[in-house]
Amino acid sequence: MQRAVAFTQLSSLINCSVLRKSVIFSKLPSLHCQARCMGSHGVPSHWKTQKQIALENKNHMDCMPIPEGSWQESYSNKQKKLNMMLAASALAFGITYYIVYKSGCMYLHTVDYKSFKYKSGLSGPGVVASFSSDAASSDEPSAPVPTEESNIKANSAGEIDLTTLPEIPSETQYLIIGAGTAAFGAFRAIKSRDPKAKILVIGEEQAVPYMRPPLSKELWFNEDQLEVENMQFRQWNGKKRSVFYEPQEFFAEPRKLNSLENGGIALLLGKKVVKLDAGKKTVWLAGGEKIKYDKCLIATGGKPKNLPILEKADAQVKERTVLYRNIEDFKKLDAIVKKSESIAIVGGGFLGSELACALGKRASKTGMKVYQIFPEKGNMGRILPEYLSKWTTKKVEREGVVIMANQSVTGAAFKDGKVVISTNEGNTVSVDCVVAAVGLEPNVDLAKSSNLEIDPVNGGFLVNAELEARRDLWVAGDAACFFDMKLGRRRVEHHDHAVVSGRLAGENMTGAAKPYWHQSMFWSDLGPDVGYEAIGIVDSSLPTVAVFARATEKDNPKAVVEATGESLRSETEMKAVESTVPVIGQDTTSPLESEDYGKGIVFYLNNKKTVVGILLWNTFNKMSIARQVLRDGARNEDLYEVAKLFDIYDTLADAPEDSAAQTTSS
């Protein structure tokens, strides 16, 4: 009984203890315990430890959705997009910067922190002001220290004495060899694209750049001797103009060129370049001076040809022979004409025919006898169709010129104070002076001494469509044999070509990289009422198709100058023929003497019946249309319709119903 009571009490105590522990554990939040075995055998092997239970209850991301592909692939794709955007931005920035830089709005400068250029001194080569590290830390730079090569002296105030500089600079940014029309067009183009450019122009003549056409046209009609001595002529509208493009004051002194902060154009006259090294970018003058350049243009033009007969003649004949080309030749011939009784012009081309008309007009007042000798059938026989050449010859004869066509000079001797000229027809003439106007040859002396290519067919420096002969070396004007993208390789010797090619070369020297596509024109005025303009390949040996119409008072050189202010046309004193008969038959090789070609269009065709040249006879201000026709490549079968584009008919009644009645072919 006592054992039973004792066991009951012990059980109660155990239950109370267990109950108390349960209450205590239930008050502990989020605490899960597992009952332990109180036996002597230890913990069962399949029971988990507290650390394992804690790890299992820890939060994981396994329950979150898994994206397609790995995170590395997604990251890589995003980086590729960002890299592409970065590359595109860099490319856009580079293109923008290049355009801005090439346009001249921005310049790249290299900064040398160990030397600087003194503001009041020179900014050119050979004058560098250096300073030490102590001077670099001060506010004021030290005085400039000229090099031995420059031989510069400074006055007491520390300023550079520019008069001590050498006359010829040793370096220049832009160098132009030649001081003619092509050089003028080039340095104007350079300055328009690079306002701070420093340009050195070297010319053999003692004259600033000038236009040559008035030398054989307007100057001979000016009766004011003082204006002629100053190389001034009168336009048809009465305006006085000089043959010089710019006055002497426009140009800077060569020795001061590199000191000009805003650049400038300097002229070095009476000097000749005898050698050029395109690799070293260096030229040598005849006096031994050496000049280095960054960009160079050769614009040496051409030099007049002479007849072998005149070259081998006596010294007295050579003294009385004029090769007409420049201002000095004009002054020489002008002085001879004033005291001569007779003069002979050898040559029937542009220059010979223009001089014949000009001197014939003057001879009508002085009584001088003017002869013109040429081997062709008529004036400008190599350019004009035969019927126009013969008709033009008669117009020149009306100016008082004795025409000796189909004759070549076979002898020249000095006898009794006169030059006696013999021809192949057995004729002789005695004159006081002979003018040789037998053509022009390109001045390519530099090519022989500088290893530059010469075109074997056309002559002249061989250049590409961008007028470049070597890297940083261009050629323009009469001396350039260039690739015409429309008409093939050519060499042109006319004023407009010198202007256009010079301008293009100048633009390319500043980085334009433009090809030659503009078709330059040329013109000539013969007598008071005959003038024409031409473009492309104009050769009388080519087949031609022409359309003519009745001329009016406005269809002559004088009228077009008065209307437009065009200065590069000769003066005339007669009005154009008011009425002409434009009916021309198919046999046009020998037109009747009564025929008079008022105004019209002459098309020159190649062997494929395609237009390669156009001549506008007494038709002016239509050159833009001619360029378009030449560019489009008009064919033979539609030329009558093409002629209507030039609007040569004043009224519809003047336009013929049958194109064959107005069209000539040869």
Side-chain angles (χ1 to χ4, degrees), residues 629-645:
V629 172
L630 200 64
R631 189 180 303 116
D632 294 342
R635 304 285 295 180
N636 184 25
E637 57 269 13
D638 59 355
L639 292 183
Y640 175 68
E641 295 298 325
V642 173
K644 293 181 179 179
L645 298 174

Side-chain angles (χ1 to χ4, degrees), residues 385-387 540-546 586 588-589 602-603 664-666:
E386 185 174 345
Y387 58 90
S540 60
S541 63
L542 296 174
T544 62
V545 175
Q586 294 298 320
T588 59
T589 57
V602 181
F603 300 98
T664 67
S665 301
S666 63

Side-chain angles (χ1 to χ4, degrees), residues 117-176:
K117 295 177 181 179
Y118 192 52
K119 293 183 179 179
S120 62
L122 295 180
S123 60
V127 183
V128 179
S130 61
F131 58 93
S132 61
S133 59
D134 295 336
S137 61
S138 62
D139 295 334
E140 296 294 334
S142 61
V145 181
T147 61
E148 294 180 359
E149 181 182 0
S150 61
N151 193 24
I152 302 173
K153 297 180 180 179
N155 56 23
S156 58
E159 297 178 351
I160 300 299
D161 186 5
L162 297 178
T163 59
T164 61
L165 292 174
E167 178 187 358
I168 302 175
S170 60
E171 294 184 7
T172 185
Q173 182 182 7
Y174 295 96
L175 178 65
I176 300 179

Side-chain angles (χ1 to χ4, degrees), residues 17-259:
S17 176
V18 173
L19 180 61
R20 189 180 295 111
K21 291 182 179 179
S22 298
V23 173
I24 293 174
F25 282 115
S26 64
K27 292 181 179 181
L28 296 176
S30 303
L31 182 60
H32 301 278
C33 297
Q34 186 174 353
R36 300 295 178 181
C37 180
M38 297 180 65
S40 60
H41 300 287
V43 181
S45 61
H46 65 278
W47 283 23
K48 298 180 180 179
T49 63
Q50 294 290 344
K51 186 175 181 180
Q52 289 177 326
I53 295 174
L55 291 175
E56 291 178 355
N57 292 334
K58 188 176 181 179
N59 291 330
H60 293 277
M61 298 178 63
D62 297 338
C63 61
M64 299 182 66
I66 300 175
E68 296 182 1
S70 64
W71 67 270
Q72 292 92 343
E73 183 179 355
S74 177
Y75 177 80
S76 177
N77 292 336
K78 186 175 182 180
Q79 290 300 316
K80 287 181 180 179
K81 293 181 180 180
L82 294 176
N83 291 337
M84 292 178 63
M85 293 177 62
L86 179 62
S89 301
L91 179 61
F93 175 79
I95 295 175
T96 304
Y97 186 86
Y98 178 80
I99 294 174
V100 173
Y101 172 67
K102 287 298 182 180
S103 64
C105 299
M106 185 179 299
Y107 300 91
L108 292 177
H109 299 277
T110 302
V111 180
D112 186 359
Y113 295 100
K114 296 183 180 180
S115 64
F116 68 96
K117 295 177 181 179
Y118 192 52
K119 293 183 179 179
S120 62
L122 295 180
S123 60
V127 183
V128 179
S130 61
F131 58 93
S132 61
S133 59
D134 295 336
S137 61
S138 62
D139 295 334
E140 296 294 334
S142 61
V145 181
T147 61
E148 294 180 359
E149 181 182 0
S150 61
N151 193 24
I152 302 173
K153 297 180 180 179
N155 56 23
S156 58
E159 297 178 351
I160 300 299
D161 186 5
L162 297 178
T163 59
T164 61
L165 292 174
E167 178 187 358
I168 302 175
S170 60
E171 294 184 7
T172 185
Q173 182 182 7
Y174 295 96
L175 178 65
I176 300 179
I177 304 174
T181 298
F184 168 74
F187 68 64
R188 287 193 64 180
I190 293 173
K191 291 295 288 185
S192 65
R193 292 175 55 87
D194 186 359
K196 293 188 177 182
K198 298 176 181 178
I199 308 170
L200 178 63
V201 182
I202 304 177
E204 296 185 34
E205 296 185 49
Q206 293 289 351
V208 298
Y210 60 90
M211 59 185 78
R212 298 186 188 275
L215 299 183
S216 60
K217 301 180 181 73
E218 291 92 338
L219 277 171
W220 292 101
F221 293 91
N222 193 345
E223 298 180 357
D224 191 325
Q225 188 59 34
L226 181 60
E227 291 181 356
V228 174
E229 292 178 358
N230 294 327
M231 304 306 296
Q232 295 175 329
F233 61 92
R234 294 279 180 174
Q235 298 181 183
W236 273 113
N237 55 11
K239 181 180 178 182
K240 182 173 65 175
R241 185 175 179 183
S242 172
V243 299
F244 301 107
Y245 292 112
E246 299 289 351
Q248 181 69 49
E249 296 75 19
F250 173 82
F251 301 95
E253 293 185 34
R255 68 178 65 194
K256 298 180 180 180
L257 178 62
N258 290 326
S259 66

Side-chain angles (χ1 to χ4, degrees), residues 562-623:
E562 290 177 338
T564 65
E566 171 62 50
S567 63
L568 298 178
R569 292 193 170 278
S570 64
E571 297 185 38
T572 59
E573 298 179 357
M574 295 176 60
K575 293 183 179 180
V577 180
E578 297 184 2
S579 61
T580 59
V581 182
V583 179
I584 304 171
Q586 294 298 320
D587 183 11
T588 59
T589 57
S590 300
L592 299 176
E593 294 183 1
S594 61
E595 290 179 345
D596 199 353
Y597 302 94
K599 61 180 178 180
I601 314 296
V602 181
F603 300 98
Y604 293 76
L605 312 178
N606 60 10
N607 55 3
K608 297 181 180 179
K609 304 296 184 181
T610 302
V611 175
V612 294
I614 301 175
L615 186 141
L616 309 182
W617 184 263
N618 271 346
T619 302
F620 308 100
N621 300 324
K622 304 290 185 181
M623 191 51 61

